[in-house]
Amino acid sequence: MLDVELVELWRAGRVQLPALAGIYSRAAQELALVPHDDAEWTALRRQLVSVLAAAASQIDEAANGVTTAVAGYEQADEAAARELRRRLDAELPDGAKR
């Protein structure tokens, strides 16, 4: 069960969140290209582009955090598995196999 959840977290960090960040980033880029002469619209557009770009950056940071957490769990789990094998081997009589 935990492996399935880790795969979902990995997928979120490597696929889903980066895709979402890309949507926000493209929206910011496209909005920045919308021409207009009105000063109020230009100021609003600049603010919206800034908000969209910041959201894209924050989503990318979240994706990196999720990916780092999954990698950390994977390393800890591998260390725990090695320790379990070591302890099991220590419990076995000489020549016995697990």
Side-chain angles (χ1 to χ4, degrees):
M1 176 86 168
L2 184 58
D3 289 343
V4 172
E5 292 170 356
L6 287 175
V7 168
E8 290 301 317
L9 283 174
W10 180 89
R11 186 175 292 126
R14 291 292 182 132
V15 177
Q16 296 166 339
L17 289 172
L20 182 60
I23 290 169
Y24 276 86
S25 181
R26 282 188 301 282
Q29 292 168 359
E30 290 176 15
L31 183 59
L33 298 175
V34 174
H36 208 282
D37 293 337
D38 183 57
E40 287 182 26
W41 162 249
T42 302
L44 176 61
R45 179 184 62 195
R46 192 176 312 116
Q47 289 176 342
L48 288 172
V49 166
S50 177
V51 167
L52 291 169
S57 177
Q58 291 170 348
I59 293 168
D60 274 333
E61 287 179 29
N64 289 335
V66 169
T67 302
T68 299
V70 169
Y73 183 84
E74 181 182 18
Q75 290 173 353
D77 192 45
E78 287 173 2
R82 283 191 303 273
E83 178 63 15
L84 176 61
R85 284 190 298 274
R86 186 192 67 75
R87 288 184 182 195
L88 288 174
D89 289 344
E91 294 291 322
L92 291 173
D94 288 339
K97 294 183 178 182
R98 282 191 272 142

